[in-house]
Amino acid sequence: MITSLTHVLGTRPNLVKAAPVVAALDDLDQTVVHTGQHYDEKMSKVFFDDLGMPEPDVNLGVGSGGHAEQTAAVMVGLEREFLRRTPDLVVVYGDVNSTIAAALVAAKLHIPVAHVEAGLRSFDMTMPEEVNRRLTDQLSDLCFVTSPEAIGHLANEGVPVARAHFVGNPMIDTLLANLDRFDTGRVRAAHGLPERYVLATMHRPANVDAPGTAAALVRHLHGVADLADLVIPVHPRGRATLLAAGLDEHPRVHVLEPLGYIDFIAAVRGAAAVVTDSGGLQEETTILGVPCLTVRPNTERPITITHGTNRLVTFEELVPAAAKALGGTERPDRTPPLWDGHAGVRIADVVRRWTGVA
Ligand code: UD1
């Protein structure tokens, strides 16, 4: 019988996905390891506080670095940790470098792996996340999927169907559990924001790393700001290039520091539209009914287009699409199946059955 679990978290979105899973398994012997991939107070601690999660038992403090450097540092730290505590199951989340690092270490130590948010595919191997997802799924004994098509993706890659469990979306569990706390008026007052605004987030390497691309993006974001005030909490990844390109030089652009979970979703809830390259925000806007323009050539979350408010746009399409979104009133009323607030409990049920605890 298996009773001890280690959850491995590294970045902001990992925390949002893990909160309901950790809560639903709280009768088991659980350890939470934070790799320290995200480390600034505003990128990490604020999220633990906002989500009411206990402090991690261990923080590896790996910090930033190139892909090899960061992934390797997480692996070295986790191997030590897993040898010291030897969990019966390691639970990993999403598609970040900490996710693949944890799955690799666990597999080599013959510790079973559960992957929360398995089977998503952008089919774009230039994204580090796509590499991380594919490899993590190959190494996972339990694949928890958020939308039905993910099971087909796993099957196409030879993952036995019996490993896949369609459980819904734990990120949406967290959103629904906190709905009463998203007070847009309070966030507007705290940051001096206008009544009507577009909220933007940009951090994908393909959009913000190269100064030329970042400058082109800023020109189009300024085009959106010509239509409505643009509020942009800036992720540290894009800060230097976007500001060097003059992001904050438009009078209707409001550059903010990264926001905590509650303030951020409150700001999203009150937005007339969202412009983003984030994965999770495509899902959160779908549930909140806020039009979402995703500045990417692809998405691993097509259900947010078929069932939600999401639309993929190029740089050139962004301003006309924003004009249309700002003028529109339609709000899709289809919710993706099982995005109902109970994914964490379903994951816990599968884990219990699988481990023989139930
Ligand atoms: C990572 C994930 C990405 C996810 C994002 C969520 C990978 C490959 N990418 O991207 O999939 O969408 O997290 O936010 O795992 N930095 C700070 N303070 C921090 C963390 C980062 O200043 O607390 C800066 C550093 O300069 C660092 C850069 O941001 O070099 C990028 O951080 P990193 O964790 O490598 O990747 P993200 O872009 O955050």
Side-chain angles (χ1 to χ4, degrees):
M1 190 164 85
I2 290 175
T3 55
S4 72
L5 314 176
T6 294
H7 302 264
V8 178
L9 316 176
T11 65
R12 288 191 298 193
N14 289 167
L15 308 183
V16 181
K17 291 164 198 169
V21 182
V22 174
L25 286 165
D26 70 350
D27 55 322
L28 300 187
D29 171 16
Q30 304 193 83
T31 303
V32 173
V33 176
H34 193 321
T35 66
Q37 177 171 346
H38 282 174
Y39 44 88
D40 287 345
E41 176 157 340
K42 292 194 171 104
M43 301 289 286
S44 180
K45 183 170 182 323
V46 162
F47 279 68
F48 280 94
D49 295 347
D50 274 359
L51 298 171
M53 283 178 82
E55 288 289 302
D57 300 281
V58 179
N59 192 321
L60 302 177
V62 300
S64 302
H67 284 284
E69 191 184 3
Q70 187 175 60
T71 309
V74 175
M75 289 180 69
V76 170
L78 283 179
E79 188 171 59
R80 257 185 227 129
E81 168 60 26
F82 293 166
L83 286 173
R84 196 164 66 84
R85 225 183 282 246
T86 328
D88 296 316
L89 180 70
V90 168
V91 189
V92 301
Y93 297 85
D95 52 22
V96 302
N97 284 346
S98 299
T99 311
I100 177 60
L104 254 176
V105 173
K108 296 269 178 83
L109 293 175
H110 307 158
I111 302 170
V113 176
H115 184 201
V116 174
E117 202 183 83
L120 295 184
R121 294 293 179 267
S122 66
F123 301 100
D124 177 356
M125 286 295 273
T126 67
M127 293 178 71
E129 293 82 2
E130 184 73 358
V131 178
N132 294 341
R133 287 181 200 118
R134 282 176 181 258
L135 299 180
T136 301
D137 286 336
Q138 287 296 326
L139 298 170
S140 295
D141 302 84
L142 291 172
C143 293
F144 293 115
V145 311
T146 55
S147 59
E149 82 280 1
I151 296 178
H153 297 328
L154 292 170
N156 289 341
E157 292 167 18
V159 175
V161 172
R163 286 190 197 166
H165 301 270
F166 175 36
V167 290
N169 190 332
M171 189 172 234
I172 300 307
D173 287 14
T174 301
L175 181 86
L176 296 177
N178 288 287
L179 266 186
D180 291 349
R181 298 171 69 200
F182 303 133
D183 181 348
T184 306
R186 190 182 53 74
V187 172
R188 255 199 315 254
H191 296 280
L193 304 179
E195 188 76 25
R196 187 164 185 266
Y197 59 88
V198 173
L199 183 116
T201 73
M202 288 289 156
H203 77 290
R204 290 278 156 216
N207 282 337
V208 304
D209 280 7
T213 308
L217 176 59
V218 165
R219 280 198 301 280
H220 293 286
L221 291 174
H222 283 177
V224 176
D226 289 338
L227 304 171
D229 284 70
L230 185 79
V231 177
I232 177 161
V234 180
H235 185 287
R237 176 161 214 122
R239 172 171 278 279
T241 52
L242 294 173
L243 291 180
L247 176 65
D248 59 348
E249 286 163 20
H250 189 291
R252 292 175 81 185
V253 169
H254 309 255
V255 172
L256 306 183
E257 291 298 307
L259 298 174
Y261 176 72
I262 297 297
D263 282 2
F264 179 66
I265 301 293
V268 170
R269 190 182 204 177
V274 159
V275 174
T276 191
D277 57 12
S278 150
L281 196 43
Q282 296 171 50
E283 300 181 341
E284 289 157 337
T285 49
T286 277
I287 296 302
L288 293 170
V290 176
C292 179
L293 305 174
T294 299
V295 188
R296 283 179 44 189
N298 49 54
T299 179
E300 60 289 331
R301 294 162 161 90
I303 203 159
T304 61
I305 298 175
T306 54
H307 287 62
T309 56
N310 192 20
R311 172 163 173 212
L312 301 181
V313 292
T314 62
F315 282 11
E316 288 68 31
E317 289 165 343
L318 176 57
V319 175
K324 197 167 165 215
L326 287 166
T329 50
E330 54 178 289
R331 289 278 190 270
D333 55 5
R334 275 190 300 168
T335 304
L338 300 191
W339 290 21
D340 58 1
H342 302 297
V345 169
R346 288 190 198 99
I347 290 170
D349 286 347
V350 174
V351 167
R352 274 184 235 284
R353 276 204 305 277
W354 188 81
T355 59
V357 174

